[in-house]
Amino acid sequence: MGQAEAAAMIPGLVLLWIAVLGGASPSPPRLRLSFQELQQRHGLRTFRLARTCCYEALLVDEERGRLFVGAENHVASLSLDNISKRAKKLAWPAPVEWREECNWAGKDIGTECMNFVKVLHAYNHTHLLACGTGAFHPTCVYVEVGHRLEEPMLRLDLQKLEDGKGKSPYDPRHQAASVLVGEELYSGVAADLMGRDFTIFRSLGQRPSLRTEPHDSRWLNEPKFVKVFWIPESENPDDDKIYFFFRELAVEAAPALGRLSVSRVGQICRNDVGGQRSLVNKWTTFLKARLVCSVPGMEGDTHFNQLQDVFLLSSRDRWTPLLYAIFSTSSGIFRGSAVCVYSMNDVRRAFLGPFAHKEGPMHQWVSYQGRVPYPRPGMCPSKTFGTFSSTKDFPDDVIQFARNHPLMYNSILPVGGRPLFLQVGAGYTFTQIAADRVAAADGHYDVLFIGTDAGTVLKVISVPKGSQPHAEGLLLEELHVFEDSAAVTSMQISSKRHQLYVASRSAVAQIPLHRCAAHGRACAECCLARDPYCAWDGATCTRFQPSAKRRFRRQDIKNGDPRTLCSGDSSHPALLERKVLGVEGGSAFLECEPRSLQAHVEWTFQRAGEAAGTPVLAEERAERTTRGLLLRDLRRGDSGSYLCTAVEQGFSQPLRRLVLHVLSVVQAERLARTEEAAPVAPPGPKLWYRDFLQLVEPGGGGVSSLRMCRPQPAPRPPPPESRRKGRNRRTHAPEPRAERGPRSAAHW
Ligand SMILES: *[C@@H]1O[C@H](CO)[C@@H](O)[C@H](O)[C@H]1NC(C)=O
Ligand SMILES: *[C@@H]1O[C@H](CO)[C@@H](O)[C@H](O)[C@H]1NC(C)=O
């Protein structure tokens, strides 16, 4: 076994080929909605407690209709329908002695020596389990929430305090990952004050606690735990496994490569009770494999190596859920995040494949070629696969092999072999993910909600691309759900109530999964949006009802092609038309902004009496901005009608017609005098004159514009540069003036 094989374990990990992504620019969302817009028009609700930070633990209880929240020194119970109303809260601070101890240990009394509630699980029919950092003294309590049909209640059961060591982290900066199965808690956490003793730990319940081998870098090497799931494998509960998702330093990397971070999935059997003579009270079924999320390239792969979060999306059976995972890069070269999707069958296949083995004079990691003892390490003692009824009966060679070979040789690749969706250079990193499977007119679609470290939520749909299983992610919405831009720390979805709950350091937000009306007032806009929650009902873009009559639910998620879907649709909103005055030599601003950031705008110019319009092309005198067209150095011949059309995916939609009238300076002055002399001006044009007078006022030079249609919306950040590229393709004056000769053309 040569060096080539050893290197194959981490192919090209260090080489982050920017070339692979081709200097990829971030894709803009189709819609970007601000906090104010969401709050005023789209049902955004927020929750925040006075003088409390760090909302991290969210627990959705559909039956009770409650959202339980863990924060600094508090647990709260909110209504799932409206988190802003009837909140119940209880204080759970750390005792003064613990806070003092914490302070003596050199921690900050005001920011670290508090009880940060990190863990919330539904424990039984009447109680929750809550665990917090307890000022570097982790503790768990049971919280009484009452029976399902009773009036909501929230009470700490201080009779039964549990030691939180191995359940909640000590350090508020650390994340906790755990799952409660029956009465037992499976957690991945640092179980000491210094934050060095990392463990996968089973506690509570009747059986003795079980953990990973301490301080063995082959088992865990400075891991950061992300999520834990209980996933059954068959009808037989003896085959149930618990899966841990984390990132850690790659033990298999050549030392020369330095500290390399890799993402992992680890497995253990639920019925593991440890070994009899060795691995006593330690896992005997622990295995881990590498999760790869990379973009293949000619010269190497671009790796998104830092697992950030995983969402388990249930499928028809309980055994093969889909795993939606988000990753970021640890590269100093570029900032990027990606979504990769994994199938449970691929995860299981890796654990059935070859073991990784360190051998040879160079101590390389290679694929183990020797005899694997029976029963194969990683298999649960069960009637399904063998005759062993407990891990205590496993032969010694099985235990020894398990202790020395926790790592699998094969990595787990994403479905389709590449990320479903990625963003590079977008100025944010993905931190949390939740997914919803939605029934649409042409099939089922997975909708992803991705929280970022900039306090936003991205709504992405997964649509088939070519042949299955290839899919691509489309960015529909960027939602600014918080007033500030604190990172999203936790996210929960209620498919039943069609709501998303998002937590950050500063608040909890609730937002519906869809806001169909925001897509626009035309059939084409609704169709182009490709939002599986929405359909055109003949008059508006509204919530899609699979049961409604076919002709009232026009929707095409797969292609988003309005030509077939919206042809003959007479309910096109009337084209807005407005008049704009300009003065020779001055400027005029023709405002027109499509709702969709993925659309680009085309302008056509038509002089009075002319049959057809000609395209207005970019040049010095006609500058395109995100909000409209700026015409400078106006000439009389620029008078005419300007049509603004949004073009998206090859589909054009006229948005607005602006009729520009350019006056000579003399005409403008006369007009001003007329206005003064005739206080009773004709009703129509009067407004015109007034606005015009303001515009021609001395010193008011610059942009002249008449905004007669609607007040200005709040300024939006300009879309990324890339979107503008390729638009200003040709150059052509708004009014070609051959008679002025080539010199004037140069002047423009
Ligand atoms: C949510 O509750 C708050 C506080 O009671 C109330 O002001 C608001 O109108 C409610 N919103 C909705 C959509 O029910
Ligand atoms: C739930 O667990 C708590 C804490 O152990 C216990 O006090 C309570 O009686 C249990 N409730 C039920 C219904 O089992």
Side-chain angles (χ1 to χ4, degrees):
M1 277 160 285
Q3 201 134 24
E5 266 179 51
M9 278 216 69
I10 298 200
L13 184 61
V14 265
L15 307 169
L16 292 155
W17 295 99
I18 192 80
V20 171
L21 301 171
S25 48
S27 19
R30 191 167 186 281
L31 292 185
R32 180 178 284 132
L33 298 169
S34 69
F35 176 78
Q36 285 76 17
E37 219 170 336
L38 288 171
Q39 203 176 38
Q40 284 158 19
R41 273 179 252 145
H42 303 296
L44 173 71
R45 275 150 267 173
T46 41
F47 168 78
R48 145 178 322 121
L49 288 164
R51 293 177 304 278
T52 303
C53 84
C54 310
Y55 304 85
E56 261 184 67
L58 293 182
L59 175 67
V60 167
D61 185 336
E62 294 274 19
E63 287 196 348
R64 286 188 179 79
R66 306 302 289 180
L67 176 73
F68 298 106
V69 179
E72 180 192 26
N73 298 333
H74 289 89
V75 174
S77 164
L78 317 177
S79 160
L80 276 181
D81 295 317
N82 182 353
I83 64 168
S84 303
K85 72 172 190 201
R86 284 191 301 145
K88 286 191 176 298
K89 59 168 186 178
L90 60 82
W92 179 28
V96 175
E97 314 87 79
W98 295 359
R99 297 193 62 207
E100 283 172 352
E101 266 173 50
C102 171
N103 196 215
W104 291 332
K107 311 291 178 190
D108 186 85
I109 191 87
T111 57
E112 295 179 291
C113 301
M114 298 284 185
N115 184 30
F116 295 91
V117 181
K118 296 270 184 178
V119 176
L120 281 181
H121 292 294
Y123 183 71
N124 61 20
H125 291 308
T126 52
H127 286 68
L128 307 180
L129 173 72
C131 304
T133 58
F136 278 78
H137 195 301
T139 315
C140 298
V141 287
Y142 296 95
V143 181
E144 191 175 359
V145 292
H147 277 283
R148 187 160 55 89
L149 299 171
E150 286 170 5
E151 189 57 20
M153 65 178 291
L154 198 64
R155 197 170 64 84
L156 280 187
D157 187 353
L158 292 170
Q159 308 299 311
K160 276 188 79 177
L161 280 183
E162 297 270 358
D163 184 0
K165 191 169 164 344
K167 306 179 185 84
S168 162
Y170 283 70
D171 192 325
R173 282 166 303 201
H174 292 176
Q175 224 176 311
S178 56
V179 67
L180 191 79
V181 183
E183 288 187 335
E184 294 175 319
L185 187 74
Y186 293 82
S187 44
V189 72
D192 66 333
L193 183 68
M194 304 304 289
R196 296 209 189 109
D197 178 25
F198 299 98
T199 177
I200 286 176
F201 191 56
R202 181 172 68 204
S203 57
L204 306 177
Q206 306 303 315
R207 299 187 282 186
S209 300
L210 226 57
R211 58 163 297 158
T212 37
E213 189 79 287
H215 306 292
D216 183 333
S217 61
R218 291 173 304 180
W219 284 49
L220 294 171
N221 197 17
E222 297 186 35
K224 301 275 182 296
F225 292 97
V226 163
K227 277 281 154 68
V228 187
F229 299 109
W230 164 38
I231 307 175
E233 204 153 309
S234 71
E235 293 289 1
N236 183 354
D238 275 343
D239 298 326
D240 286 6
K241 284 184 179 146
I242 315 292
Y243 291 90
F244 287 78
F245 290 84
F246 57 103
R247 56 179 192 270
E248 64 172 354
L249 296 179
V251 69
E252 69 270 38
L257 298 183
R259 291 162 64 89
L260 280 182
S261 185
V262 283
S263 298
R264 301 277 196 212
V265 49
Q267 67 135 57
I268 49 171
C269 291
R270 190 186 168 192
N271 63 5
D272 198 334
V273 289
Q276 184 66 27
R277 278 173 294 277
S278 89
L279 289 185
V280 179
N281 292 332
K282 314 261 170 57
W283 302 108
T284 63
T285 56
F286 174 67
L287 295 178
K288 63 179 179 182
R290 182 167 163 229
L291 269 183
V292 169
C293 182
S294 65
V295 180
M298 298 285 281
E299 299 175 74
D301 298 348
T302 302
H303 283 267
F304 294 85
N305 56 335
Q306 305 249 32
L307 182 67
Q308 298 292 343
D309 193 24
V310 183
F311 187 87
L312 189 126
L313 187 68
S314 311
S315 62
R316 237 163 274 142
D317 65 60
R318 296 188 304 135
W319 309 303
T320 54
L322 213 51
L323 298 158
Y324 278 97
I326 50 171
F327 297 81
S328 63
T329 58
S330 58
S331 161
I333 307 166
F334 71 101
R335 191 169 169 199
S337 311
V339 179
C340 276
V341 193
Y342 301 90
S343 88
M344 252 344 268
N345 288 336
D346 288 344
V347 172
R348 293 186 180 116
R349 195 169 303 123
F351 290 124
L352 292 173
F355 291 89
H357 181 67
K358 199 175 178 184
E359 70 166 33
M362 307 289 288
H363 298 287
Q364 308 117 3
W365 287 83
V366 295
S367 166
Y368 179 74
Q369 302 291 327
R371 192 189 75 87
V372 174
Y374 179 85
R376 185 189 155 90
M379 287 296 197
C380 306
S382 124
K383 293 280 179 300
T384 315
F385 299 110
T387 51
F388 294 91
S389 58
S390 160
T391 55
K392 286 198 190 294
D393 302 336
F394 281 168
D396 284 345
D397 61 341
V398 170
I399 301 288
Q400 283 315 319
F401 191 91
R403 159 181 259 156
N404 296 321
H405 299 89
L407 178 62
M408 305 314 298
Y409 184 74
N410 290 339
S411 299
I412 301 158
L413 299 178
V415 175
R418 52 171 26 255
L420 172 78
F421 177 70
L422 59 86
Q423 279 294 57
V424 171
Y428 53 72
T429 303
F430 302 167
T431 59
Q432 292 284 310
I433 185 166
D436 189 26
R437 185 156 290 174
V438 187
D442 56 355
H444 282 82
Y445 290 91
D446 290 350
V447 181
L448 315 180
F449 296 89
I450 302 169
T452 73
D453 65 349
T456 55
V457 173
L458 311 177
K459 179 169 161 183
V460 171
I461 63 160
S462 167
V463 290
K465 186 187 186 188
S467 62
Q468 299 276 13
H470 293 276
E472 69 175 327
L474 299 178
L475 180 50
L476 302 189
E477 295 174 331
E478 180 182 298
L479 310 170
H480 292 247
V481 297
F482 295 115
E483 216 163 353
D484 60 10
S485 50
V488 172
T489 53
S490 182
M491 224 158 51
Q492 290 289 321
I493 206 166
S494 164
S495 301
K496 195 171 147 192
R497 287 177 166 81
H498 279 256
Q499 301 288 321
L500 183 73
Y501 307 92
V502 191
S504 80
R505 192 187 158 75
S506 51
V508 182
Q510 171 191 3
I511 182 90
L513 300 182
H514 46 78
R515 46 229 119 248
C516 300
H519 294 309
R521 292 181 302 135
C523 176
E525 288 174 299
C526 190
C527 177
L528 285 165
R530 299 171 80 177
D531 187 333
Y533 294 109
C534 306
W536 183 253
D537 69 359
T540 54
C541 193
T542 181
R543 167 92 186 279
F544 172 72
Q545 305 284 0
S547 53
K549 280 201 188 104
R550 187 161 276 276
R551 72 191 165 94
F552 291 123
R553 47 185 183 91
R554 272 181 271 176
Q555 193 192 46
D556 174 19
I557 308 306
K558 193 156 196 276
N559 307 304
D561 185 357
R563 273 159 294 215
T564 47
L565 221 58
C566 302
S567 61
D569 192 87
S570 54
S571 58
H572 216 288
L575 191 62
L576 287 171
E577 183 168 311
R578 56 159 137 151
K579 293 184 170 129
V580 179
L581 279 185
V583 188
E584 216 175 356
S587 313
F589 185 65
L590 308 181
E591 192 188 334
C592 181
E593 190 180 3
R595 284 197 69 77
S596 169
L597 301 179
Q598 287 167 1
H600 78 260
V601 164
E602 282 178 1
W603 288 91
T604 47
F605 171 59
Q606 193 175 355
R607 210 170 287 147
E610 275 180 3
T614 51
V616 176
L617 302 165
E619 47 90 59
E620 222 178 295
R621 257 181 7 94
E623 189 190 327
R624 282 137 200 275
T625 74
T626 15
R627 312 265 296 266
L629 182 70
L630 176 62
L631 296 176
R632 288 205 191 86
D633 187 20
L634 288 175
R635 284 143 202 192
R636 300 292 301 277
D638 294 339
S639 295
S641 156
Y642 291 80
L643 180 69
C644 159
T645 306
V647 182
E648 191 171 3
Q649 291 172 39
F651 183 82
S652 309
Q653 190 197 357
L655 294 182
R656 175 172 292 192
R657 187 185 299 283
L658 295 120
V659 181
L660 175 68
H661 193 66
V662 180
L663 306 169
S664 68
V665 177
V666 176
Q667 278 177 319
E669 280 169 358
R670 192 181 306 144
L671 189 60
R673 278 198 301 276
T674 316
E675 169 74 358
E676 272 166 28
V680 190
K686 181 165 169 155
L687 183 65
W688 253 50
Y689 299 155
R690 260 229 200 96
D691 284 354
F692 177 67
L693 282 173
Q694 287 165 6
L695 296 170
V696 293
E697 236 146 53
V703 180
S704 58
S705 101
L706 290 184
R707 290 171 183 134
M708 289 156 62
C709 283
R710 61 185 168 108
Q712 288 281 304
R716 290 177 186 174
E721 212 31 59
S722 63
R723 220 165 61 78
R724 320 225 62 79
K725 277 185 205 149
R727 264 196 242 168
N728 307 343
R729 283 161 302 216
R730 295 159 290 174
T731 53
H732 180 78
E735 190 222 352
R737 291 192 171 197
E739 76 277 9
R740 290 191 59 154
R743 271 186 61 220
S744 61
H747 168 74
W748 292 352

